[in-house]
């Protein structure tokens, strides 16, 4: 079994292009509300990674800071919004900026669209749009290991269709006090055949 694992890893190394970021991560709205620091996943994915912040997540964050169902949710969304806006001081967020240490973040700004997506994805549904964006990014960076941080059970369920396994992470103390659940890092499997121009 160990020989097979070694052979598969060698095959991945030989076939997939090298990537300047061997680990990449997308973060959903709930995970950012639980903990607004894009560098919060070092314990789960290692000290060096690129966090991709998707338009659908930024839109949901904006909606929650204005119309969140509780005062706590509105304040948490505002805190996350301030944290992310503060990253603009570090450079061009559309190209990628340093968060801390060797963790960087990039603000994605283009939405996905394509008939080549799995037919169960509905791009009018925010979770499905998040998944579609993540799959497309994975297809553009096949040499990276991909993770998704989310505490949304529905999103976790949908991601399970394209994921290898889920790794639980610790819930931040503030989130524990407010009854929030831990975010999970979902490890995506090998890239699907998404060799389409899926940006709209």
């Amino acid at each position: 079994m160990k020989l097979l694992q070694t052979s598969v890893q060698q095959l991945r190394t030989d076939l997939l292009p090298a990537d300047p970021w061997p680990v990449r991560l997308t973060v959903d709205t709930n995970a950012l509300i639980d903990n607004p620091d894009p560098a919060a996943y070092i314990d789960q994915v290692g000290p060096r990674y690129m966090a991709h912040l998707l338009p659908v997540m930024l839109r949901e964050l904006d909606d929650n800071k204005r119309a969140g169902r509780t005062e706590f949710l509105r304040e948490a969304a505002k805190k996350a919004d301030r944290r992310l806006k503060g990253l603009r001081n570090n450079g061009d967020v559309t190209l990628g900026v340093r968060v801390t240490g060797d963790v960087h973040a990039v603000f994605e700004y283009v939405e996905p669209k394509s008939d080549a997506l799995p037919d169960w994805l509905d791009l009018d549904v925010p979770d499905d749009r998040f998944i579609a964006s993540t799959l497309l990014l994975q297809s553009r960076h096949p040499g990276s290991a991909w993770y998704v941080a989310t505490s949304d059970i529905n999103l976790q369920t949908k991601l399970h269709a394209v994921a290898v396994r889920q790794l639980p992470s610790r819930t931040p103390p503030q989130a524990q006090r407010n009854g929030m659940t831990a975010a999970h890092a979902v490890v995506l499997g090998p890239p699907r055949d998404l060799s389409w121009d899926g940006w709209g």
Side-chain angles (χ1 to χ4, degrees):
M1 184 66 170
K2 194 167 183 83
L3 181 59
L4 179 61
Q5 288 174 335
T6 303
S7 298
V8 168
Q9 184 56 42
Q10 185 61 48
L11 188 60
R12 276 182 60 93
T13 303
D14 292 345
L15 293 178
L16 296 177
D19 194 289
W21 294 99
V23 175
R24 293 175 183 268
L25 168 81
T26 52
V27 185
D28 98 321
T29 311
N30 288 323
L32 269 176
I33 286 174
D34 289 349
N35 187 340
D37 184 5
Y41 305 97
I42 289 172
D43 289 347
Q44 288 74 39
V45 301
R48 184 174 189 273
Y49 62 88
M50 176 68 78
H52 294 259
L53 305 173
L54 304 176
V56 65
M57 180 276 301
L58 296 171
R59 190 165 40 253
E60 284 185 325
L61 193 64
D62 201 46
D63 290 345
N64 278 320
K65 76 180 185 185
R66 290 189 169 87
R69 64 186 177 278
T70 66
E71 182 63 23
F72 174 79
L73 179 58
R74 290 190 294 274
E75 289 305 313
K78 288 175 186 175
K79 180 179 178 184
D81 183 69
R82 284 191 301 272
R83 175 72 172 104
L84 296 182
K85 284 180 177 174
L87 294 177
R88 293 177 184 166
N89 297 329
N90 299 349
D92 186 343
V93 293
T94 64
L95 298 176
V97 295
R98 183 175 173 272
V99 178
T100 186
D102 213 3
V103 175
H104 287 65
V106 60
F107 286 50
E108 300 295 340
Y109 54 90
V110 186
E111 301 278 5
K113 70 171 185 178
S114 176
D115 293 334
L117 284 165
D119 59 7
W120 54 269
L121 286 177
D122 178 354
L123 296 184
D124 292 329
V125 175
D127 285 355
D128 290 10
R129 185 169 284 276
F130 182 93
I131 293 167
S133 295
T134 300
L135 288 173
L136 182 58
L137 285 168
Q138 183 193 30
S139 74
R140 290 194 168 190
H141 302 282
S144 297
W146 276 90
Y147 295 82
V148 177
T150 180
S151 58
D152 181 328
I153 187 69
N154 188 47
L155 182 56
Q156 289 171 11
T157 301
K158 290 182 175 189
L159 282 164
H160 204 69
V162 293
V164 175
R165 66 187 184 275
Q166 295 185 74
L167 303 173
S169 68
R170 293 187 301 251
T171 304
Q174 177 64 27
Q176 285 177 342
R177 287 193 291 274
N178 289 284
M180 292 184 172
T181 58
H184 285 73
V186 178
V187 185
L188 294 181
R192 302 293 198 265
D193 182 13
L194 296 176
S195 54
W196 40 272
D197 184 13
W199 292 113

